[in-house]
Amino acid sequence: MHHRAPAPSRRTLLTVTAAAAAAAVTGVTSPVAHAETNDRGLRRIIDRMSLEEKVGQLFVTRVHGHSATDPDQADIDANLAAFGVRTAAELVARYHVGGIIYFSWAHNTRDPQQIAALSNGIQQAALGQPTSVPVLLSTDQEHGIVCRVGEPATLLPGAMALGAGGSHADARRAAQIAGEELVALGIRQNYAPVADVNVNPANPVIGVRSFGSDPRAVAGLVAAQVQGYQRAGVAATSKHFPGHGDTAVDSHYGLPTITHTREQWAELDAPPFRAAIAAGIDSIMTAHLVVPALDPSEDPATLSHPILTGILREQLGYDGVVVTDALGMEGVRTKYGDERVPVLALKAGVDQLLDPPRLDVAWNAVLKAVRDGELTEARLDASILRILRLKAKLGLFRRAYTSRAAVERIVGRKAHLAEADRIAEATTTLLVNEGGFLPLSPASHGSVLVVGADPASPSGTTGPPTTTLATALRELGFTATALSTGTAPTAARIEEAVAAAAGKDVVLVGTYNVTATSSQRTLVARLVATGVPVVTIAIRNPYDVARLDGQRAVLAAYSWTDVELRAAVRVLTGRARPRGRLPVPVQSAEDPTKVLYPVGYGLTYGH
């Protein structure tokens, strides 16, 4: 494997953090540092655990703060309100949690060295407990529109962009780069890749997070990314089992129902999960949705024994870690209360309980279920063994810490950034090019107005999109002005854009999930009416082209991250040839049975 960080020397560890350094010097490492990481050794660890420690090992929780021991006061207050503890270190000591998930909104992911120090501080706390077990640190680093760790780490194309690129090698390499950087940060479980097949254009929660609408194509890309992440030393997680691709409800806010028959499920939804399992996937995440054909009780899949044990474990033969989607999501809370959800999830076949809204409520509910005999200790032990096997496979018992040197050497390195640009360039899809209007040249269309949507950066570190596009154009010799008009441009802002277009050679509009009633349609129509050539670039879902008219050219970028937008500008200006192909069909807005642009569609420039 390329660029793998060697085991740090004692000297390297001394630079980690004062606390982690102290551990390295005093030899406070896991008592099983050299104990066999085979099942016998792992069972001995389980035998030493108290019931409270066993229960804790099943939970993965959020925590507020940039430091394990010295967070900001606002984060201390948030932790006291949520958990009754001040810090991540206290949380680990009180609840013995087996995992912690990082979020940018929880202030866990400010910058690479800080993230690494936080990871080391959490491991320090865990390895100092009576039963010394490292924590599995996780995050949602899908890339594209879901990204917790931002620049200066390498940001890569998301799933649908990779679907448009169509290269297994690029998908594998993107995951390996992402994985190597996560390992350097101490993050060893990534909730990616998404294995959902996006067959519903109205899907509000998956969309461009999916590789596409063709189950076989999605399966190949999922397998490639699993290989890439796991070669780098990160546990990949395919999600959301049994498949979240055909839903018009967001399970964060409601309980979706999938109406596929068992045969349709086997044909449409199952192939990417089968491919992930065949590729040796370390963990699989459940979906908070109902599939009556798979479980007539209409329990959400997260709480369904027929789905998780009957299908995933027994039919598909999966014996790795099963993690729930976040237990604070409305989809899993609608039918049962927060006390019942974690117990029912364990009874269904889950191993890791992810981010319950109230950790104390969920933790005590599981403890009580064991004491009351509803759950056996042996049932807990089976899940803990899977979790410890994964920690052992990742080498966490041998070396739980990362180092400053690893971060400096690996995170955001030039070679990674160059590969991200190369991979992104192959994803930009050209859908319309009237009369060969593109590529643009500074000589013929040197004066460009860039308008459009400026959604917040997925990682909080890039953009805004109109500025990114204008800057990229200026770097290539154009005169470019940015005017943010938003996802719902007002009449006044539309007038401003029309006035600004006067005398320009071309207007570039960044469109964002255009709907039938969106004022983005009015913006484009008014700009087209000025007579200045209009080019649109869909910065999220590629379906916008079906709701807009009159543009001279249309591109799909699949994400508004800088790496995708800069690649789109290189395509727009002929620095790169468009090579992306639609991984989903674009249907007519008026007649969804009519396909305007089929899967595999994409124009290119003449030689």
Side-chain angles (χ1 to χ4, degrees):
M1 191 201 73
H2 305 299
H3 319 307
R4 182 67 181 275
S9 65
R10 178 159 295 179
R11 180 174 300 165
T12 309
L13 275 177
L14 282 167
T15 67
V16 173
T17 59
V25 174
T26 55
V28 181
T29 54
S30 169
V32 289
H34 301 291
E36 318 79 291
T37 46
N38 59 23
D39 279 4
R40 189 182 308 164
L42 299 176
R43 286 182 206 279
R44 282 203 294 271
I45 299 170
I46 296 170
D47 289 344
R48 286 206 301 274
M49 288 181 183
S50 66
L51 180 56
E52 289 80 3
E53 286 173 323
K54 288 183 177 184
V55 170
Q57 200 60 217
L58 305 172
F59 282 95
V60 181
T61 183
R62 69 198 180 280
V63 68
H64 297 267
H66 71 286
S67 161
T69 53
D70 190 25
D72 294 342
Q73 188 61 47
D75 291 317
I76 290 174
D77 295 343
N79 285 329
L80 285 168
F83 309 112
V85 300
R86 295 160 48 85
T87 67
E90 289 177 14
L91 182 77
V92 169
R94 174 174 295 187
Y95 288 104
H96 320 291
V97 291
I100 287 178
I101 178 174
Y102 289 170
F103 291 107
S104 39
W105 56 260
H107 308 137
N108 305 139
T109 57
R110 285 183 184 174
D111 67 75
Q113 290 293 0
Q114 166 269 319
I115 297 168
L118 172 63
S119 299
N120 285 333
I122 290 170
Q123 297 297 7
Q124 168 85 13
L127 297 179
Q129 297 306 303
T131 306
S132 177
V133 177
V135 171
L136 187 52
L137 299 167
S138 62
T139 199
D140 292 285
Q141 190 79 346
E142 295 174 14
H143 289 274
I145 71 163
V146 176
C147 225
R148 311 297 185 213
V149 179
E151 290 183 345
T154 306
L155 298 177
L156 292 133
M160 194 171 284
L162 292 171
S167 164
H168 290 184
D170 282 355
R172 187 179 299 110
R173 185 66 190 130
Q176 187 163 348
I177 290 168
E180 287 171 7
E181 297 199 6
L182 289 173
V183 169
L185 301 172
I187 299 169
R188 303 302 297 275
Q189 184 176 26
N190 190 17
Y191 300 129
V194 170
D196 303 318
V197 180
N198 200 71
V199 292
N200 187 341
N203 194 321
V205 65
I206 305 302
V208 293
R209 297 168 63 197
S210 161
F211 290 105
S213 62
D214 176 342
R216 288 181 64 184
V218 172
L221 291 162
V222 164
Q225 288 228 295
V226 170
Q227 291 160 357
Y229 280 121
Q230 294 186 181
R231 279 179 193 171
V234 169
T237 310
S238 58
K239 61 188 185 183
H240 308 80
F241 189 83
H244 211 312
D246 190 6
T247 164
V249 174
D250 183 341
S251 52
H252 290 84
Y253 309 109
L255 179 59
T257 296
I258 304 283
T259 56
H260 293 181
T261 64
R262 192 171 271 261
E263 292 69 34
Q264 285 173 319
W265 173 81
E267 189 181 315
L268 276 176
D269 303 291
F273 291 102
R274 289 185 185 276
I277 293 166
I281 187 88
D282 283 328
S283 48
I284 290 178
M285 181 180 284
T286 66
H288 304 325
L289 45 75
V290 167
V291 191
L294 304 184
D295 181 357
S297 78
E298 302 204 0
D299 279 345
T302 298
L303 311 180
S304 168
H305 191 272
I307 291 174
L308 299 187
T309 298
I311 295 175
L312 182 56
R313 294 278 192 220
E314 292 167 4
Q315 189 181 319
L316 301 186
Y318 177 66
D319 193 38
V321 169
V322 174
V323 57
T324 69
D325 205 343
L327 294 180
M329 290 166 60
E330 206 51 45
V332 79
R333 301 173 78 188
T334 51
K335 196 168 174 181
Y336 302 98
D338 290 340
E339 291 184 20
R340 293 304 296 153
V341 165
V343 176
L344 294 171
L346 289 168
K347 291 174 84 167
V350 156
D351 302 306
Q352 286 183 309
L353 300 159
L354 177 61
D355 200 23
R358 289 281 309 276
L359 180 60
D360 58 338
V361 169
W363 192 88
N364 282 305
V366 175
L367 193 66
K368 183 176 186 297
V370 179
R371 288 184 172 148
D372 291 352
E374 186 181 5
L375 286 170
T376 65
E377 214 166 324
R379 168 67 195 87
L380 266 55
D381 292 353
S383 281
I384 296 165
L385 181 60
R386 287 193 191 97
I387 293 164
L388 295 189
R389 275 179 190 148
L390 179 51
K391 292 179 179 184
K393 178 189 171 185
L394 297 171
L396 286 169
F397 286 106
R398 291 192 306 278
R399 180 165 65 96
Y401 300 116
T402 185
S403 69
R404 293 187 66 87
V407 175
E408 285 164 19
R409 190 173 62 252
I410 294 164
V411 178
R413 58 187 302 186
K414 276 187 183 154
H416 286 179
L417 297 172
E419 285 208 76
D421 285 336
R422 176 190 64 76
I423 292 167
E425 221 165 68
T427 69
T428 306
T429 307
L430 180 62
L431 297 175
V432 174
N433 192 20
E434 293 291 345
F437 183 70
L438 298 183
L440 301 178
S441 80
S444 59
H445 294 88
S447 178
V448 184
L449 172 67
V450 180
V451 302
D454 275 336
S457 164
S459 61
T461 60
T462 64
T466 54
T467 303
T468 299
L469 291 165
T471 302
L473 284 163
R474 282 195 293 270
E475 287 169 359
L476 295 177
F478 291 79
T479 305
T481 314
L483 173 67
S484 178
T485 49
T487 51
T490 61
R493 188 48 66 97
I494 290 170
E495 294 307 324
E496 203 178 329
V498 167
K504 296 289 190 288
D505 296 321
V506 64
V507 181
L508 178 61
V509 187
T511 65
Y512 182 97
N513 292 7
V514 179
T515 62
T517 56
S518 173
S519 57
Q520 292 179 74
R521 299 181 74 187
T522 313
L523 171 72
V524 171
R526 289 290 310 282
L527 288 168
V528 166
T530 66
V532 178
V534 172
V535 175
T536 59
I537 172 169
I539 64 172
R540 187 166 174 171
N541 290 345
Y543 310 115
D544 292 359
V545 64
R547 299 215 181 259
L548 300 168
D549 295 301
Q551 311 98 297
R552 298 291 293 277
V554 179
L555 298 108
Y558 308 100
S559 170
W560 60 96
T561 51
D562 289 7
V563 69
E564 290 287 17
L565 297 179
R566 287 195 307 260
V569 168
R570 291 196 298 279
V571 167
L572 194 68
T573 59
R575 299 300 174 105
R577 290 175 61 236
R579 287 180 287 156
R581 299 283 181 268
L582 279 175
V584 291
V586 175
Q587 294 145 326
S588 161
E590 285 72 40
D591 178 9
T593 62
K594 183 183 173 192
V595 173
L596 301 178
Y597 303 95
V599 170
Y601 183 89
L603 304 174
T604 191
Y605 302 146
H607 294 287

